[in-house]
Amino acid sequence: MKTITLQLGGKERTLDVGKFYFTKYLGEYIGSDPLKSNANDAGTQFNYSVAIVYAGLMTDYKAKGLVVDFTKEDVEGWVGLLEMDEVVRIIDEYGKLNKSEVPGE
């Protein structure tokens, strides 16, 4: 299972970044390929961070059949209030969970 657990909106929430639905929700939030954007742009970094959290939450809720109790604006606010080291942890964990495993490496 590829999940990240965070405290968001006053409760523990799970980001499921391992199911194909994650790609759907990430694309819906970003609207374009974030890797083609200027990675050094602060706005791009913020939007990508929010997109990871939003897509992970939506995937977890979809997989569990839960009723979504947050909006995109809620997620943006939650991510915006995180400490920088927590955002770095999310991005690092997401990267590690989605690193393709090449035989022989």
Side-chain angles (χ1 to χ4, degrees):
M1 224 171 135
K2 295 182 177 185
T3 61
I4 301 167
T5 304
L6 303 169
Q7 283 291 330
L8 297 169
K11 68 185 208 180
E12 188 172 270
R13 296 178 190 261
T14 301
L15 312 182
D16 187 336
V17 299
K19 294 185 178 55
F20 198 47
Y21 266 120
F22 180 82
T23 303
K24 172 189 181 331
Y25 294 119
L26 185 68
E28 285 178 3
Y29 192 92
I30 294 289
S32 66
D33 184 349
L35 299 178
K36 293 180 182 175
S37 302
N38 180 359
N40 294 321
D41 175 58
T44 299
Q45 293 172 3
F46 181 81
N47 286 338
Y48 187 58
S49 301
V50 173
I52 290 171
V53 173
Y54 176 79
L57 287 171
M58 289 297 293
T59 301
D60 187 59
Y61 275 58
K62 180 74 169 180
K64 293 177 179 172
L66 301 173
V67 176
V68 176
D69 62 349
F70 58 87
T71 65
K72 287 181 180 181
E73 291 78 18
D74 290 332
V75 176
E76 184 174 304
W78 297 337
V79 172
L81 293 173
L82 292 174
E83 297 292 327
M84 189 61 88
D85 61 337
E86 184 70 359
V87 176
V88 169
R89 181 183 76 84
I90 294 165
I91 295 169
D92 285 349
E93 284 190 40
Y94 169 67
K96 288 176 190 173
L97 290 171
N98 287 290
K99 181 179 178 185
S100 60
E101 295 180 19
V102 179
E105 285 192 354

